[in-house]
Amino acid sequence: MHIRALLSRLSAISLAACLLFTGQALTTPDRAAAADPGYLMTHFIGEGSTGQQIYFSHSTDGLNWTDLNGGGMALRSTVGTRGVRDPALVRAPGGDKYWIIATDLCIGCGQSWDDSMNNGSRNLVVWESTDLVTWSQPWLLNVAGAIPDGRNAWAPEAIWNPETNDYVLYWATNATRGGVLKHRIYSARTTDFRTITTPQLYIDRPGTQNIIDTQIVEVPSGVGDFRYVRASGDGQITLEGSNSILGTWTNLGNLSGIGLTGSQVEGPMWMKFRDRNEWTLYLDQYASGRGYMPVTTTNPSAAGTYRLPASGSYNLGGTKKRHGAILTLTAAEESRVLSRWANTPAKRLQSFNFQDRYVRHANFDVRIDQNVTGPDAQFRLRPGLAGSDTVSFESVNFPGHFLRHSNYDFQLAYNDGTTRFAADATFRQVAGLADPTWSSFQSYSHPDRYIRHYAYELRLDPITTTTARSDATFRVTN
């Protein structure tokens, strides 16, 4: 969560050399087969209203990552604080549903760290999908409101529990218990991430020691002595093992033997290599501001088996990767993800007859305004949501929102996945009606009508006059 210094849990140490580790080195493996699907990471990238959103990255080998969606956000929170951190990505056992659950927190967006610790959101932000590409609107799930003196809800995770046939949802809350105010891990059970059982204390450390980040990985039979291993940021990166998610956990040591403590790294994030019994525990180098680094092991329950990465053995891509989660993809999932979040460049739509004006959204209304260069006037021309050889206009700063006509008026609307929405948000790009070197956009659902501006507002109209032809002509420009 990047608040260790604020909590004064450990004294600061010099990092000039400690993350340029020597010793055992991690080498990049060859992929088992070129056709093997890869991995999807969901994460945030930094501070501010745009950095604290949902981003996706993809890797073919688990070590070298490529930013999806051109490095732009994939989902934006429009609820709660309107920012999110620490996203977890959960797949249903049947592979037919997915959830993203995240901290409802936007530092620097009207909220300070002190505010967020002592009077923060008690909610988590949740998205749901059936295919990893079309996501619901986000909703708030109150998890800390029932915790006495619960002051926030941070760093959520969830894992399917076969013993109870539901998910164990767990997170950190700052609350007073036994006269001690600190962050502890609480848990609840859920089947749908809309309702939960009464929260229970899940992990507590002695004295005043806080614990915020923890993530559980399931380990196959024959590797170590435990079915589950969890890594936690609690002043160290502590490893614990158990054969039951809600059972007793055994302390297995920590990563201080390879020079890693909670004063340097946080946000433990597990990933198993798909072709072998080897894992990487990604750790966020928050203290030095360098994002994630991979530490590998062939036995997650044995602290002495963890290895540090050699210089150049991994690449996290263009954006800084902050606390998130990794999903091992199936071939079908990978195909959908790479198609949906392709690196489509952002464009602007310039008016033909008012060439200092560009199409932009403002409060989800759509108009042409003068000299607009910011993200409100930037769109990705995606393959049309309906039909072939068509386009749809996706907002850069409100991903998942598209230009859509309704009663012939235009709005920026969230894709609800319906056939009607797809048709109303799809257009054929044709030669400009006023100048064939420009473009016009014919409606897919009303092919006798085109996008045009009228009194600077965007409309869908029949085009019959010279003025209307000029109003319906645009240049797609960088």
Side-chain angles (χ1 to χ4, degrees), residues 210-276:
N210 290 269
I211 177 170
I212 294 175
D213 303 324
T214 189
Q215 192 178 90
I216 299 170
V217 65
E218 185 173 2
V219 179
S221 176
V223 178
D225 298 323
F226 299 98
R227 181 175 180 179
Y228 301 101
V229 176
R230 69 187 183 200
S232 304
D234 56 3
Q236 299 288 340
I237 300 299
T238 299
L239 303 173
E240 296 167 290
S242 179
N243 289 313
S244 173
I245 295 169
L246 295 176
T248 301
W249 289 78
T250 300
N251 189 303
L252 304 173
N254 57 58
L255 300 186
S256 61
I258 55 172
L260 293 177
T261 70
S263 63
Q264 303 156 307
V265 293
E266 64 176 8
M269 179 175 70
W270 292 103
M271 188 205 80
K272 183 185 182 298
F273 292 100
R274 67 178 316 121
D275 58 342
R276 61 193 183 276

Side-chain angles (χ1 to χ4, degrees), residues 282-314:
Y282 276 94
L283 298 168
D284 184 355
Q285 302 169 96
Y286 77 94
S288 62
R290 295 166 64 181
Y292 270 119
M293 62 174 284
V295 178
T296 59
T297 178
T298 55
N299 182 358
S301 64
T305 65
Y306 287 77
R307 297 178 297 144
L308 298 167
S311 177
S313 64
Y314 67 97

Side-chain angles (χ1 to χ4, degrees), residues 44 46-55 73 75-85 102-111 121 123-127 137-140 361 363-364 397-399 401:
F44 74 107
E47 311 304 322
S49 60
T50 57
Q52 295 168 109
Q53 301 295 343
I54 301 298
Y55 291 76
M73 70 179 80
L75 296 171
R76 181 171 192 150
S77 177
T78 55
V79 296
T81 67
R82 297 181 179 268
V84 287
R85 300 167 72 100
T103 304
D104 178 28
L105 177 59
C106 195
I107 294 298
C109 317
Q111 190 174 38
S121 173
N123 302 306
L124 304 176
V125 180
V126 185
W127 287 265
Q137 293 269 35
W139 70 81
L140 294 174
H361 65 83
N363 296 320
F364 301 105
N397 58 345
F398 284 86
H401 291 71

Side-chain angles (χ1 to χ4, degrees), residues 142-267:
N142 189 319
V143 295
I147 298 172
D149 192 43
R151 303 184 181 196
N152 60 7
W154 283 358
E157 302 285 350
I159 186 170
W160 176 257
N161 187 3
E163 294 181 7
T164 55
N165 205 39
D166 55 15
Y167 299 93
V168 176
L169 173 66
Y170 53 102
W171 68 93
T173 286
N174 191 29
T176 301
R177 187 180 177 97
V180 178
L181 173 64
K182 64 177 181 178
H183 283 88
R184 302 168 176 88
I185 304 298
Y186 292 80
S187 71
R189 292 163 51 196
T190 184
T191 58
D192 57 8
F193 297 96
R194 293 182 181 273
T195 60
I196 62 171
T197 60
T198 302
Q200 304 294 321
L201 181 64
Y202 189 41
I203 310 175
D204 194 3
R205 296 301 192 228
T208 60
Q209 179 61 60
N210 290 269
I211 177 170
I212 294 175
D213 303 324
T214 189
Q215 192 178 90
I216 299 170
V217 65
E218 185 173 2
V219 179
S221 176
V223 178
D225 298 323
F226 299 98
R227 181 175 180 179
Y228 301 101
V229 176
R230 69 187 183 200
S232 304
D234 56 3
Q236 299 288 340
I237 300 299
T238 299
L239 303 173
E240 296 167 290
S242 179
N243 289 313
S244 173
I245 295 169
L246 295 176
T248 301
W249 289 78
T250 300
N251 189 303
L252 304 173
N254 57 58
L255 300 186
S256 61
I258 55 172
L260 293 177
T261 70
S263 63
Q264 303 156 307
V265 293
E266 64 176 8

Side-chain angles (χ1 to χ4, degrees), residues 440-474:
S440 293
F441 296 93
Q442 180 187 25
S443 169
Y444 176 82
S445 54
H446 296 276
D448 61 329
R449 293 173 180 259
Y450 292 79
I451 298 176
R452 61 89 59 96
H453 64 81
Y454 183 82
Y456 304 131
E457 299 286 337
L458 232 59
R459 294 185 44 79
L460 192 74
D461 281 345
I463 303 300
T464 58
T465 67
T466 299
T467 298
R469 283 191 287 273
S470 294
D471 291 348
T473 300
F474 303 88

